[in-house]
Amino acid sequence: MGKPFLHAHHRFKDGKDHCYWSIAEKVRTPHGDWVQRPILYLGEINDSQKAAWIKTIEVFDTDRQAFTQLALFAPQRQVPVHVAEAVQVRLSEFSLERPRQWGACWVACLLWQQLQLDAFWAERLAASREGTDWKTILQVLTIYRLLDPGSEWRLHRQWWASTSLDELLGLHLPVLDKDCLYRTLDRLLEHRDALFKHLQSRWQDLFGAKVDVLLYDLTSTYFESDPPFPEGDKRRFGYSRDKRSDCVQVIIALIVTPEGYPLAYEVLPGNTSDKTTLKTFLQKIETLYGKLNRVWVMDRGIPTEAALEEMRASDPPIQYLVGTPKGRLIKLERQLLELPWHSARPQVRVKLLPQDKELYVFIESQDRLQKERSIRLRKLRELIKRLKTLQQRKQKLARDQLLLALGQAKEQAGRVFDLLDIQCPEDAQADARTFTFGLRRSKYRLWRRREGRYLLRTNLTDTDPKLLWEYYLQLVEIEGAFKLLKDDLAVRPIYHHKESRIEAHIFVAFMAYCLSVTLRGHLRKLASGLTSRAVLEKFAAIQMVDAHFPTSDGRELVFRRYTQPEKDQKILLAQLGWELPEQAPPRITAQGRLEEPTQPMN
């Protein structure tokens, strides 16, 4: 990559010479050729209708704090006496300063506007008497969580200066006060239910999202902190889905639509049992969205028999579709064997077993069977290979070392480890390489018989089994939501110590998730395989830089420009129907001092 240089483009039109200027660089192609790549487009500096070397442009004068018209002249040219406002520019002495991220920040701001969150928070987060704009700081926190999640301290010390959010939001501060970031979190939780209703309305307007099918599940997130905590604190020890039972945690319960649009969530104590949460959420959804016919889709372990009985007995009955634990499949296996198979769709067949006011649906999916079997075989082969490596070690292995290695293998293999019968030497002094292992054939045959087969339970007795299976498959959406929160949005580690700020931190992560699924809603209509993260990374390549041109009177003409989008970015913009904002007008300022106009870039 070569040094950036100023490049003139001449275009002859209607017998006149128009000269356009840009900043370019030389780059090498994969074939070894050198080509020019434009970085910044500065516009037409020359106006051939007046003269070949003069151009009148609108600039922002920081001394006058107003826009004015300036005529630009090369330093070797004499300024005509009839030109009142003019400046001589030293084009050869330009410099590029302060490169910063622009494209992904602009996309995030656009999604924020589409959800009308500015108007929502303007009614609830009024600016302080000192002028602190709480709603804009909340927008910064949310975009930070979406694009490059980390601590508030990192945002304050590093990330803010590396982005163009100051121009996009009109928040022209060299750094963000970290105390303002923390105090913003203290103002959020009371507006959570109102936000749920607002977002549901926006997704209905944007994507026609409905709330007739609800997916409900729970996850946990842990903390590297030690009790004791104040009375009633939600950080508690409990069943850890992250396999960190040594850490305190909180439970996050989430309700989403089949398309992944979240409708509500709740932060619960870390020792909350899954089966105690359903009744509360039934009431919450009824309060937020009214009492309508909805289908609740849940995995096994959430509803109890008492909860399902209450759902059937309510007026009107609350419809549900739940997975069943293995024990119930064993209990009904004999009755299911006597029933014939029915084709629900290609590669899927079902058996229907009515009981009381419910319907048991036993489903066999060839696609799921092949997927689960390939996963199991891969893990089993990896486990056997690892055990053989332990057996064939030339160095003598102590029994305690063997037990430690087997524990690590079990953690990596998961439930597949139970398919092997492993015999360890009982004598602590014996050579541990003599341990043996073999396949538990009866358990292996049981696994094969149940792969790709599911037993579902529902009170939708008249519903097409094909539709029931599609409902249940949609539970993958809520699993994807938890994965997004934990991985892409990095909901942990959580650096706060106050419980209210921990909940507010999760609240900000929830809002970032809402921006992500809004972008995915747009992409679903265009390219279902394209993820929100991939699009944000593509637009993150669009940078903003400042091009400084010294003038003969000791000032500087500053062009603030975002780099030109590449071909794939232009295609995305066209498909999404988005248009990049116009480049900001140049600014004329005292050298070394650049003040910002007050209006944000739209």
Side-chain angles (χ1 to χ4, degrees):
M1 184 178 295
K3 181 180 178 181
F5 59 92
L6 200 63
H7 183 61
H9 310 267
H10 292 273
R11 180 188 178 195
F12 291 90
K13 182 179 179 182
D14 299 330
K16 299 175 182 177
D17 181 13
H18 297 262
C19 186
Y20 302 86
W21 292 88
S22 67
I23 296 173
E25 64 180 354
K26 284 190 175 182
V27 296
R28 188 183 292 273
T29 67
H31 302 290
D33 301 324
W34 286 92
V35 297
Q36 290 185 6
R37 185 176 77 89
I39 301 175
L40 293 178
Y41 177 71
L42 301 176
E44 184 181 5
I45 295 179
N46 293 351
D47 185 356
S48 59
Q49 292 181 350
K50 288 188 175 180
W53 44 269
I54 182 172
K55 169 68 178 173
T56 301
I57 62 173
E58 185 179 53
V59 300
F60 182 81
D61 192 326
T62 59
D63 293 327
R64 302 179 185 177
Q65 286 294 303
F67 288 93
T68 185
Q69 298 288 330
L70 272 185
L72 303 184
F73 294 85
Q76 67 271 21
R77 301 287 186 176
Q78 184 176 0
V79 179
V81 294
H82 67 275
V83 179
E85 295 286 345
V87 64
Q88 290 180 304
V89 182
R90 297 177 179 147
L91 297 178
S92 61
E93 299 178 18
F94 82 94
S95 62
L96 299 179
E97 300 180 11
R98 201 191 159 204
R100 53 207 182 274
Q101 210 290 306
W102 184 85
C105 293
W106 174 76
V107 172
C109 291
L110 182 63
L111 297 171
W112 184 275
Q113 294 170 7
Q114 290 180 348
L115 290 180
Q116 298 181 0
L117 292 174
D118 261 338
F120 175 85
W121 288 112
E123 299 176 0
R124 294 164 177 83
L125 294 181
S128 68
R129 288 180 296 179
E130 294 81 11
T132 304
D133 190 350
W134 301 114
K135 66 177 178 60
T136 305
I137 295 178
L138 172 59
Q139 186 174 354
V140 173
L141 283 167
T142 305
I143 294 174
Y144 174 54
R145 180 61 44 185
L146 175 67
L147 301 183
D148 190 14
S151 67
E152 283 77 8
W153 176 259
R154 175 172 169 268
L155 189 160
H156 152 73
R157 294 287 293 177
Q158 175 185 345
W159 188 78
W160 172 254
S162 68
T163 74
S164 56
L165 279 177
D166 52 347
E167 292 98 344
L168 289 166
L169 301 179
L171 201 63
H172 301 297
L173 300 171
V175 294
L176 275 180
D177 183 2
K178 66 180 186 304
D179 294 329
C180 287
L181 298 174
Y182 295 132
R183 291 200 299 269
T184 301
L185 298 176
D186 298 333
R187 291 164 164 78
L188 304 181
L189 295 180
E190 62 185 291
H191 308 297
R192 189 172 55 182
D193 286 356
L195 178 66
F196 295 156
K197 298 180 72 172
H198 171 81
L199 290 173
Q200 190 273 331
S201 174
R202 290 304 303 142
W203 285 317
Q204 187 174 16
D205 293 342
L206 289 171
F207 310 112
K210 299 179 180 179
V211 293
D212 51 355
V213 178
L214 306 181
L215 314 179
Y216 176 53
D217 206 352
L218 303 97
T219 191
S220 58
T221 184
Y222 61 93
F223 309 88
E224 293 89 347
S225 56
D226 297 319
F229 298 110
E231 184 68 26
D233 196 289
K234 293 183 179 180
R235 285 168 288 182
R236 291 287 182 265
F237 288 104
Y239 168 69
S240 174
R241 295 156 177 84
D242 301 305
K243 302 186 182 344
R244 289 302 304 268
S245 56
D246 59 317
C247 297
V248 292
Q249 64 179 17
V250 295
I251 301 294
I252 302 175
L254 179 65
I255 298 176
V256 303
T257 68
E259 298 80 20
Y261 303 117
L263 299 178
Y265 81 94
E266 193 67 54
V267 179
L268 306 170
N271 58 357
T272 303
S273 174
D274 291 1
K275 58 188 178 183
T276 63
T277 63
L278 180 58
K279 185 175 181 179
T280 301
F281 268 84
L282 290 173
Q283 296 171 349
K284 187 178 188 69
I285 292 299
E286 183 178 321
T287 302
L288 287 172
Y289 306 114
K291 193 170 185 178
L292 298 173
N293 291 329
R294 298 188 181 93
V295 179
W296 286 75
V297 184
M298 299 164 282
D299 213 342
R300 61 180 183 271
I302 294 179
T304 62
E305 287 293 334
L308 294 178
E309 178 60 34
E310 288 184 14
M311 294 174 76
R312 291 193 297 267
S314 64
D315 186 24
I318 300 174
Q319 300 170 330
Y320 60 83
L321 174 67
V322 299
T324 60
K326 292 182 179 178
R328 187 166 293 273
L329 176 58
I330 296 173
K331 182 179 178 181
L332 299 174
E333 195 167 20
R334 184 177 298 275
Q335 299 179 58
L336 290 169
L337 286 173
E338 299 173 356
L339 296 174
W341 287 104
H342 300 279
S343 177
R345 64 177 184 179
Q347 302 295 314
V348 177
R349 57 180 186 168
V350 301
K351 291 185 178 184
L352 305 178
L353 177 61
Q355 279 200 352
D356 298 330
K357 298 180 181 179
E358 293 183 306
L359 177 68
Y360 286 93
V361 185
F362 187 53
I363 299 178
E364 180 187 83
S365 169
Q366 289 296 319
D367 293 337
R368 302 287 291 186
L369 185 148
Q370 293 173 9
K371 178 180 178 181
E372 292 177 11
R373 186 162 294 175
S374 64
I375 292 174
R376 176 184 52 77
L377 288 175
R378 175 177 54 81
K379 289 188 174 183
L380 185 59
R381 291 191 186 105
E382 290 174 353
L383 175 60
I384 292 174
K385 181 179 179 181
R386 188 167 185 174
L387 295 180
K388 286 183 177 180
T389 302
L390 291 175
Q391 282 183 328
Q392 297 168 3
R393 285 181 55 144
K394 295 182 179 180
Q395 185 179 2
K396 184 177 179 180
L397 192 66
R399 183 174 180 273
D400 290 344
Q401 292 176 317
L402 171 65
L403 295 178
L404 181 61
L406 290 178
Q408 294 173 342
K410 181 177 181 179
E411 182 178 359
Q412 184 173 358
R415 296 194 312 163
V416 171
F417 191 84
D418 296 334
L419 294 177
L420 297 182
D421 183 17
I422 301 176
Q423 300 293 331
C424 297
E426 296 183 2
D427 186 356
Q429 303 300 322
D431 187 350
R433 290 175 295 178
T434 60
F435 81 94
T436 61
F437 63 91
L439 184 65
R440 294 178 176 176
R441 296 185 180 277
S442 60
K443 193 157 192 174
Y444 184 80
R445 284 193 293 266
L446 182 63
W447 269 50
R448 282 183 62 90
R449 193 166 68 243
R450 291 181 177 171
E451 283 172 338
R453 295 182 173 184
Y454 305 87
L455 182 62
L456 309 182
R457 182 181 183 182
T458 181
N459 60 349
L460 296 167
T461 56
D462 298 326
T463 304
D464 186 350
K466 174 184 175 182
L467 185 59
L468 295 176
W469 175 237
E470 291 175 353
Y471 283 165
Y472 191 71
L473 286 180
Q474 288 166 346
L475 273 178
V476 71
E477 282 293 339
I478 202 164
E479 295 172 1
F482 289 142
K483 180 176 175 60
L484 181 63
L485 282 170
K486 290 186 174 183
D487 295 345
D488 283 1
L489 304 181
V491 72
R492 66 160 316 279
I494 299 176
Y495 302 95
H496 304 286
H497 298 287
K498 293 173 62 176
E499 181 187 350
S500 61
R501 286 187 179 173
I502 289 173
E503 291 199 47
H505 170 91
I506 295 173
F507 182 86
V508 171
F510 171 81
M511 292 183 62
Y513 171 68
C514 292
L515 296 184
S516 179
V517 297
T518 302
L519 177 55
R520 189 174 64 178
H522 290 300
L523 297 174
R524 187 177 286 114
K525 298 177 291 185
L526 306 175
S528 58
L530 196 59
T531 66
S532 301
R533 178 59 53 193
V535 171
L536 291 172
E537 289 175 354
K538 280 186 178 294
F539 280 102
I542 302 179
Q543 300 285 301
M544 175 171 278
V545 295
D546 296 337
H548 291 248
F549 293 87
T551 62
S552 57
D553 59 0
R555 294 187 293 173
E556 276 190 344
L557 183 66
V558 180
F559 288 81
R560 176 158 293 170
R561 294 290 188 267
Y562 56 79
T563 57
Q564 295 302 298
E566 301 291 345
K567 183 178 180 180
D568 56 345
Q569 295 160 347
K570 290 180 179 179
I571 292 174
L572 271 175
L573 288 169
Q575 292 293 323
L576 291 167
W578 296 348
E579 292 185 6
L580 296 178
E582 294 183 1
Q583 300 277 16
R587 295 167 178 81
I588 188 75
T589 180
Q591 198 165 13
R593 179 174 61 87
L594 180 61
E595 298 177 2
E596 304 291 343
T598 56
Q599 69 271 22
M601 180 184 289
N602 295 320

